[in-house]
Amino acid sequence: MGVTMKKRVKDIYRPETFAVPPETSAALVMDIMREKNISCIVVTEEEKPVGIFTERDIVRYMVRPRPDFVDGAIDRFMTRDVHTITPDMMLYEAFSVLTEKLIRHLVVVDHEQKALGLITQSDLLDHFESEYLEKGYTVGQIMNRGIVTVDPYDAVARAARVMADGSISFLIVCRQLQPVGVITERDMAGFAASGLDIENTMIQEVMNSPVQTVGADQPVLKATARMHEYDIRHLVVIDNLGKAIGAVTQTDLVRGLKNKFIETMRIVAREQSEELAETRRLLTEKALVLEALLNSPISSGIVITDRELQVSHLTPSAEFILQTTAQEVLGRDIRALVEHRNIPYGRFEQALAKIRSGDTYTFNMQRRENNRTRIIQTTLSGTFEGDNPTGILLLLDDITEKRVTEETMHRLAYYDTLTGLANRSMFGEKLRSELARSRRNDTPFSLILIDVDDFKNVNTTFGHQAGDRLLQEIAKRLDGLLRESDTVARLGNDEFGIVLGNTATTGDALNVARKILKKLSPEYDLNGTPLSASFSFGLALFPLHGEDEETLMRNAGMAINQAKSKGRANGESNIVVA
């Protein structure tokens, strides 16, 4: 067993904690965080933690400001749910608490619940042995593909809203999917402390650049070394064209620990069975680890059987996840534990056959709770004595919230948060898909780019909220106008894009563009303020004006620039074909 598996929190935690009393002003707390370059402050009363204030809290209040935020006491804004651990907790237990609770900080307390120090995800990554980072893995196997991007010309306020809505720790700043910078929660905390005008500051003015990147085919250990070298928590994953295709974080890097746990517990369970058969002599180190695992507070549930597949061990977490008790299942066949869990007929028997050859098998079970379906990810593996099976081990994880988070991340990655339309990433995928389909079927299609004329003056004259309302109203008119097979997206600040399938001629495309313009032209009501808007359209047809994505976008962009020039001359909406 690796040395790190034997380490406890007391071996690595930092005894110094930046703590403040509840009456400290939020402004002072943010100043301390910026000065000390730290990600959180612990709020204590009589040396006991009563709350924690993090960079994520700062971002949340930046986009939903309260008039008393800066001068108000920190106890009004802190997160009260402080997760604490003791110095004697094993490191792998601390890691499980961090990953399952989706947090980055744990407060270390003594037997009187007084704060002793702090431990972070970065601390754990520094101390886990490299063998636990799955040396055979590449970045592409563990990276998060649901990236969220922003445009460098967007206001910092938009980036803050996206971060707050999705609980996202950093955003990739892209132009045409080329990463040009990143912006993080720590940056946002600094902006808040310095009083930056986030509504009128563009992201490109304050983003971190150049971007630290890694290729999807690179070893995981190389990504770890890059993070250590630059003291960062995130890397942007790029393809061979330099385009962003994902992101890898510290959490992704240590995801291999879960597989290590399964292997460790398999060994421990086997040795425990041997020792019980040998008149229950003194427990060895691995038996002690098994006992610690079975009684630890980690949220993954563990179920172990004997040779006859009767349940011999069941952790409290497994009882909670399955909503059963040890008295109900100990000594019973494991099949009774998983039946009626919405598993396809024969699936469990297939799994048993597979693990007898030394493989693992993962599937999902379900259970109902308060009229809601909860999803339980189940990893099944065998325990062996030499080549002879001695039982099976189930690792259970309730992934319901993870599924909800993944769906939210997908929505944030591919849809514009302001208008609900597809964003630039989704638009690019749809455009490439339409190109492939049209080449295959030898059919034309049209690309339309639309800009709102003088949109900057709308923000200047009526305010950014009015500008956002105008964009939302335009999106509603566009979304209800086109066919389901067409794609409409918000590409940037005031720019929209449309892919029209099966438009045979330039005349067809112009007719659709005129129809869209007619729909967009009527006056807009911006919370009681009437506003007339004009638009510039740029059209490009495949294959007439280009046979690839870059050429089509370039020619449509040149057409829209001509339309804008006409608009400045005649003060009207204009449509120009490339």
Side-chain angles (χ1 to χ4, degrees):
M1 183 178 296
V3 174
T4 304
M5 290 293 284
K6 302 176 184 178
K7 284 187 177 181
R8 298 181 183 271
V9 170
K10 63 185 178 184
D11 297 323
I12 74 163
Y13 84 91
R14 292 174 287 172
E16 75 280 359
T17 302
F18 292 102
V20 297
E23 63 271 14
T24 308
S25 72
L28 179 57
V29 170
M30 289 190 291
D31 285 340
I32 294 173
M33 291 173 67
R34 181 173 61 168
E35 179 184 347
K36 302 296 184 182
N37 195 31
I38 53 177
S39 59
C40 73
I41 288 280
V42 180
V43 183
T44 58
E45 197 165 20
E46 297 181 352
E47 300 182 58
K48 297 180 180 180
V50 295
I52 190 168
F53 188 72
T54 68
E55 294 165 339
R56 185 154 295 175
D57 293 318
I58 295 175
V59 175
R60 188 168 66 248
Y61 285 108
M62 285 174 72
V63 299
R64 300 178 184 89
R66 286 172 45 175
D68 58 343
F69 175 51
V70 174
D71 298 321
I74 197 64
D75 64 351
R76 300 183 191 176
F77 315 109
M78 67 186 184
T79 299
R80 297 184 182 276
D81 186 14
V82 184
H83 294 279
T84 61
I85 55 175
T86 63
D88 289 326
M89 179 178 278
M90 305 299 289
L91 284 193
Y92 62 80
E93 295 177 306
F95 168 75
S96 293
V97 174
L98 282 175
T99 54
E100 296 297 336
K101 299 294 183 182
L102 300 178
I103 55 177
R104 293 203 299 261
H105 314 90
L106 292 170
V107 180
V108 185
V109 297
D110 62 15
H111 66 282
E112 295 180 342
Q113 295 299 304
K114 291 184 178 180
L116 297 175
L118 195 70
I119 193 168
T120 68
Q121 191 178 71
S122 298
D123 297 328
L124 290 173
L125 183 59
D126 288 340
H127 288 85
F128 272 108
E129 298 163 290
S130 61
E131 64 189 78
Y132 291 163
L133 295 179
E134 298 288 354
K135 290 182 180 179
Y137 278 25
T138 64
V139 170
Q141 291 173 285
I142 67 166
M143 71 180 187
N144 184 350
R145 297 180 184 274
I147 59 173
V148 182
T149 64
V150 289
D151 191 279
Y153 298 106
D154 284 339
V156 174
R158 179 176 183 273
R161 284 193 292 270
V162 172
M163 281 184 171
D165 291 343
S167 296
I168 301 168
S169 60
F170 88 122
L171 297 173
I172 305 172
V173 187
C174 285
R175 291 294 291 173
Q176 298 291 331
L177 286 182
Q178 296 282 346
V180 296
V182 296
I183 191 164
T184 68
E185 285 181 326
R186 181 155 300 179
D187 296 327
M188 290 295 182
F191 302 156
S194 65
L196 180 74
D197 182 0
I198 62 173
E199 292 287 353
N200 293 298
T201 302
M202 289 189 296
I203 292 173
Q204 69 171 2
E205 299 176 37
V206 294
M207 67 186 183
N208 296 301
S209 183
V211 184
Q212 296 304 322
T213 61
V214 65
D217 58 345
Q218 294 297 314
V220 167
L221 287 177
K222 182 172 182 179
T224 308
R226 180 72 59 84
M227 287 187 181
H228 280 300
E229 179 182 357
Y230 291 97
D231 192 23
I232 54 179
R233 297 196 297 254
H234 320 89
L235 291 173
V236 178
V237 185
I238 57 174
D239 61 14
N240 55 7
L241 298 178
K243 293 187 176 182
I245 57 173
V248 63
T249 67
Q250 288 180 339
T251 301
D252 300 320
L253 289 176
V254 294
R255 192 178 294 158
L257 285 171
K258 195 168 209 177
N259 294 332
K260 194 68 179 180
F261 284 166
I262 294 174
E263 180 62 26
T264 300
M265 287 186 286
R266 182 188 297 155
I267 296 170
V268 171
R270 183 187 67 222
E271 296 193 0
Q272 174 75 333
S273 298
E274 293 172 353
E275 288 154 10
L276 288 173
E278 294 174 1
T279 69
R280 299 183 182 274
R281 292 183 300 111
L282 284 175
L283 294 174
T284 63
E285 177 190 5
K286 289 182 179 179
L288 289 170
V289 172
L290 174 62
E291 183 179 354
L293 285 170
L294 293 174
N295 294 284
S296 71
I298 61 175
S299 57
S300 294
I302 303 168
V303 182
I304 301 174
T305 77
D306 58 18
R307 295 176 188 270
E308 285 71 41
L309 302 188
Q310 294 180 336
V311 177
S312 59
H313 297 86
L314 184 79
T315 65
S317 293
E319 294 181 68
F320 178 78
I321 290 171
L322 296 173
Q323 287 296 286
T324 187
T325 64
Q327 290 80 0
E328 291 174 327
V329 299
L330 286 176
R332 296 186 64 189
D333 192 289
I334 188 67
R335 296 173 183 84
L337 194 64
V338 300
E339 65 181 358
H340 309 305
R341 302 284 183 182
N342 201 33
I343 303 172
Y345 179 77
R347 173 71 60 82
F348 193 72
E349 296 302 325
Q350 293 174 9
L352 290 177
K354 188 171 183 179
I355 66 170
R356 290 189 182 103
S357 63
D359 292 331
T360 60
Y361 194 90
T362 299
F363 57 92
N364 289 338
M365 302 190 297
Q366 295 181 0
R367 70 173 175 84
R368 297 289 294 176
E369 180 182 274
N370 299 327
N371 294 321
R372 181 186 181 191
T373 299
R374 301 202 69 84
I375 303 171
I376 303 167
Q377 181 175 282
T378 307
T379 300
L380 192 68
S381 58
T383 57
F384 295 87
E385 180 182 350
D387 294 329
N388 300 315
T390 59
I392 62 175
L393 182 147
L394 266 71
L395 187 68
L396 308 171
D397 285 290
D398 188 327
I399 60 171
T400 309
E401 278 69 32
K402 179 183 177 184
R403 282 286 181 87
V404 172
T405 299
E406 288 174 347
E407 290 170 3
T408 300
M409 291 294 291
H410 179 270
R411 189 166 59 253
L412 289 171
Y414 289 104
Y415 291 90
D416 179 57
T417 55
L418 177 65
T419 64
L421 297 178
N423 63 13
R424 183 179 288 274
S425 296
M426 174 69 84
F427 184 78
E429 290 190 9
K430 293 290 187 180
L431 178 55
R432 288 187 288 275
S433 176
E434 187 65 30
L435 277 165
R437 188 191 66 81
S438 295
R439 290 190 191 109
R440 186 170 58 251
N441 299 328
D442 193 24
T443 56
F445 73 92
S446 300
L447 168 66
I448 301 178
L449 299 183
I450 305 172
D451 262 11
V452 185
D453 294 338
D454 294 324
F455 179 72
K456 184 176 181 180
N457 290 335
V458 176
N459 284 332
T460 303
T461 305
F462 300 102
H464 286 275
Q465 286 187 343
D468 287 350
R469 178 62 184 274
L470 175 60
L471 294 174
Q472 290 169 339
E473 291 301 315
I474 292 171
K476 286 180 183 178
R477 296 186 188 186
L478 287 173
D479 197 32
L481 186 63
L482 301 173
R483 299 168 299 184
E484 187 174 338
S485 59
D486 298 326
T487 300
V488 58
R490 182 185 175 212
L491 305 183
N493 190 27
D494 62 334
E495 183 180 7
F496 297 86
I498 298 172
V499 176
L500 294 173
N502 295 319
T503 43
T505 66
T506 302
D508 292 339
L510 278 170
N511 287 336
V512 175
R514 293 185 185 112
K515 181 181 176 183
I516 295 171
L517 179 56
K518 184 177 179 180
K519 185 72 173 179
L520 295 179
S521 295
E523 197 172 68
Y524 293 85
D525 180 6
L526 305 184
N527 295 324
T529 301
L531 176 70
S532 295
S534 61
F535 301 86
S536 296
F537 283 59
L539 278 63
L541 279 72
F542 170 88
L544 180 61
H545 301 121
E547 298 186 9
D548 58 73
E549 177 185 1
E550 183 179 349
T551 305
L552 280 171
M553 287 293 291
R554 182 174 65 249
N555 286 333
M558 292 170 62
I560 205 172
N561 288 335
Q562 294 178 37
K564 288 179 181 179
S565 296
K566 286 187 176 182
R568 284 190 289 269
N570 59 26
E572 298 176 353
S573 296
N574 292 274
I575 301 173
V576 173
V577 179

